[in-house]
């Protein structure tokens, strides 16, 4: 019913009808008549990726990407977590606390992952203890008290958000049935509200998108309505399936979510996507696409991580690489986040994506109009229409400079020291609209177009 694929197919079909319509289906727009305030860097979060020993990654790698959201719980350490006893939990708590301090150093918010502190980090098995097994909640209640008292003892009370459980619907982190999850969720919400009212509660943190035909979602929505355990922030993940073309679009997903909220009579609350991007989407092109969409929707989000073991606690979700001597260097995507976090200053500008959904842009206006975009994972000839030129002081017609930059990908943790400068061209415009031809020749690259006056 809510198939995104259907929408895409329809748009492509329409495009074939005539060459004019086809061109429009591949046009993104920037409207200089509609400024939207200072950049918020809604896509500048990531989970894990922070070394447990403080001060390993030089500060500028965090600050220049405007890092603002972290998320951790000591997953995949040799110590197995609370379900194996208090001693197995302590190193996980210490890891999380260290990551929290790093986040706070950069002013980032922090999401606590209870399932990892507990030990259900993907390495657990059916025979392990889960909250509420045999209707006995005592170990889980003790665990929650332990975590909260340890956080208090360490002054870990500011900017704390708690994910009640990660991806219970995904089959990897919750090895019990749905009804036991629902009971755990309601109980944990009420306990946390009692013993840790300072923390914001995030839920349900499902891997599947909101969907009126997904029983995890419908059971959860009806459970939070009937138990009055609505989270402070609604949270889910946007991970495209391998080889697929949907599952990652916040604009679509949010639309469905608003419908199901209405259906269940639930209030609107902020949304956070605390994992975005599949492994194939961790390339500059897809990062730029996600930035455009999260900025348009004003929704905070965190990059996924696709590594395990010690690498999980390093490399800023593969935004960085490291030499044999332990010196960090930037990978291709880091340069996109840096441009987004450092160079795209001033006012955010209203944008819209191409009708085929692939080409999308994020834009800011200051000394230059900077437009960052990509065709997600496609290549082809696209167009950026910049409307309202006169409202940014250009004029309704004339000639401007357009400088094109490319942000390449050099493989997983492959070093890229900056964007490629493709030079400045002069483009004439009239009717208050500049038309920039955008040739996307590399499916992993992001591009920037900078518009400025000819002096
Ligand atoms: C640009 O934004 C202005 C102000 O919101 C609006 O009036 C105008 O219709 C928009 N132009 C286009 C081409 O969408
Ligand atoms: C917590 O904060 C208090 C008051 O600022 C301080 O005295 C104490 O040393 C802090 N404790 C830790 C573990 O940081
Ligand atoms: C981005 O800003 C930094 C810091 O001002 C500067 O060194 C760098 O050259 C800029 N990059 C681009 C592509 O403009
Ligand atoms: C990008 O293009 C390469 C080479 O044509 C292809 O192997 C790869 O699957 C493409 N990537 C995506 C994400 O579509």
């Amino acid at each position: 019913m809510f198939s995104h694929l259907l929408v895409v197919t329809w748009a492509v079909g329409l495009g074939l009808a005539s060459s004019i319509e086809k061109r429009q289906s591949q046009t993104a727009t920037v409207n200089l008549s509609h400024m939207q305030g200072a950049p918020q860097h809604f896509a500048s979060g990531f989970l894990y990726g922070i070394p447990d020993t403080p001060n390993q990654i030089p500060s500028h790698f965090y600050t220049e990407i405007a890092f603002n959201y972290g998320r951790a719980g000591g997953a995949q350490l040799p110590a197995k977590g609370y379900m194996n006893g208090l001693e197995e939990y302590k190193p996980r708590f210490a890891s999380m606390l260290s990551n929290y301090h790093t986040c706070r150093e950069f002013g980032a918010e922090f999401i606590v992952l209870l399932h990892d502190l507990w030990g259900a980090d993907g390495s657990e098995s059916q025979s392990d203890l889960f909250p509420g097994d045999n209707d006995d909640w005592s170990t889980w209640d003790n665990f929650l008290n332990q975590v909260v008292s340890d956080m208090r003892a360490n002054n870990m009370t500011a900017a704390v958000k708690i994910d009640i459980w990660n991806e219970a619907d995904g089959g990897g982190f919750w090895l019990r049935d749905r009804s036991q999850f629902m009971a755990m969720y309601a109980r944990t919400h009420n306990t946390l509200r009692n013993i840790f009212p300072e923390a914001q509660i995030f839920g349900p943190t499902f891997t599947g998108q909101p969907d009126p035909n997904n029983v995890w979602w419908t059971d959860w929505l009806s459970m939070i309505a009937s138990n009055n355990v609505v989270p402070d922030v609604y949270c889910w993940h946007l991970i495209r399936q391998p080889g697929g073309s949907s599952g990652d679009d916040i604009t679509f997903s949010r639309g469905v979510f608003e419908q199901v909220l209405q259906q269940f009579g639930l209030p609107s609350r902020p949304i956070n996507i605390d994992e975005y991007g599949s492994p194939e989407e961790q390339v500059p092109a897809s990062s730029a696409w996600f930035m455009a969409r999260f900025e348009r929707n004003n929704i905070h989000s965190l990059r996924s991580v696709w590594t395990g073991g010690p690498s999980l606690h390093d490399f800023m979700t593969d935004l960085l690489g490291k030499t044999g001597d332990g010196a960090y260097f930037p990978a291709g995507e880091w340069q996109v986040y840096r441009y987004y976090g450092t160079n795209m200053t001033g006012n955010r500008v209203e944008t819209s994506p191409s009708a085929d959904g692939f080409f999308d842009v994020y834009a800011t206006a200051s000394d230059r109009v900077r437009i960052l975009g990509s065709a997600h994972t496609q290549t082809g000839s696209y167009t950026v229409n910049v409307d309202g030129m006169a409202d940014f002081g250009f004029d309704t017609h004339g000639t401007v400079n357009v400088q094109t930059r490319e942000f390449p990908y050099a493989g997983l943790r492959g070093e890229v020291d900056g964007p490629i400068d493709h030079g400045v061209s002069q483009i004439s415009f009239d009717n208050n609209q500049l038309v920039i031809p955008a040739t996307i020749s590399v499916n992993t690259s992001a591009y920037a177009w900078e518009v400025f006056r000819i002096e």
Side-chain angles (χ1 to χ4, degrees), residues 31-317:
N31 183 355
L32 291 172
S33 307
H34 199 173
M35 298 292 167
Q36 300 183 307
Q40 304 292 315
H41 308 118
F42 283 105
S44 288
F46 57 81
L47 69 147
Y48 285 102
I50 299 174
D52 293 338
T53 307
N55 305 316
Q56 300 300 296
I57 298 174
S59 301
H60 79 92
F61 284 114
Y62 296 95
T63 55
E64 290 179 22
I65 66 167
F67 175 59
N68 57 23
Y69 246 104
R71 180 176 185 249
Q76 300 201 354
L77 296 177
K80 287 297 188 191
Y82 195 92
M83 67 184 180
N84 291 291
L86 186 59
E87 292 310 311
E88 294 286 301
Y89 148 86
K90 285 178 179 169
R92 291 196 175 212
F93 183 86
S95 161
M96 181 202 63
L97 181 65
S98 168
N99 288 176
Y100 169 77
H101 284 312
T102 301
C103 287
R104 295 308 295 149
E105 189 184 333
F106 300 107
E109 307 287 304
F110 188 82
I111 306 168
V112 173
L113 289 173
L114 290 180
H115 76 296
D116 284 336
L117 292 168
W118 175 257
D121 61 357
S123 69
E124 82 286 359
S125 68
Q126 281 288 346
S127 58
D128 285 319
L129 183 67
F130 274 74
D133 277 355
N134 305 312
D135 222 15
D136 178 355
W137 295 93
S138 56
T139 313
W140 181 249
D141 290 345
N142 291 342
F143 165 74
L144 293 176
N145 279 304
Q146 183 78 43
V147 172
V148 171
S149 86
D150 287 345
M151 288 197 286
R152 286 200 190 289
N154 288 283
N155 292 338
M156 187 180 160
T157 51
V160 173
K161 291 93 180 36
I162 299 182
D163 256 337
I164 289 189
W165 202 271
N166 179 62
E167 298 190 347
D169 62 326
F173 302 99
W174 180 259
L175 309 183
R176 293 296 183 267
D177 65 16
R178 215 162 56 240
S179 67
Q180 191 169 331
F181 169 77
M182 299 301 160
M184 183 279 295
Y185 188 97
R187 183 181 190 91
T188 306
H189 177 106
N190 287 325
T191 303
L192 291 174
R193 278 283 191 265
N194 260 327
I195 65 175
F196 203 32
E198 303 96 316
Q200 279 196 322
I201 294 177
F202 277 34
T205 323
F206 287 155
T207 184
Q209 297 183 81
D211 176 349
N213 300 309
N214 176 329
V215 287
W216 282 89
W217 272 101
T218 50
D219 279 10
W220 181 79
L221 291 160
S222 98
M223 180 275 294
I224 61 166
S226 58
N227 289 275
N228 192 23
V229 288
V230 180
D232 299 298
V233 174
Y234 294 114
C235 179
W236 65 90
H237 295 168
L238 291 178
I239 313 287
R240 187 164 81 166
Q241 296 312 302
S245 65
S246 67
D248 56 359
D249 180 359
I250 185 57
T251 303
F252 169 76
S253 193
R254 174 195 206 159
V256 175
F257 186 63
E258 277 162 11
Q259 291 180 33
V260 294
L261 277 188
Q262 275 193 359
Q263 190 186 325
F264 286 85
L266 286 160
S268 282
R269 296 273 161 92
I271 293 168
N272 184 303
I273 301 299
D274 69 10
E275 289 190 30
Y276 70 84
S278 63
E280 66 175 3
E281 291 180 296
Q282 292 204 331
V283 294
S286 293
S287 300
W289 185 88
F290 277 118
M291 287 166 186
R293 299 212 160 207
F294 288 122
E295 290 290 336
R296 183 173 303 121
N297 284 278
N298 295 312
I299 288 178
H300 275 292
S301 58
L302 289 78
R303 283 168 59 79
S304 304
V305 61
W306 297 102
T307 182
S311 303
L312 182 64
H313 298 245
D314 204 351
F315 303 114
M316 295 172 105
T317 60

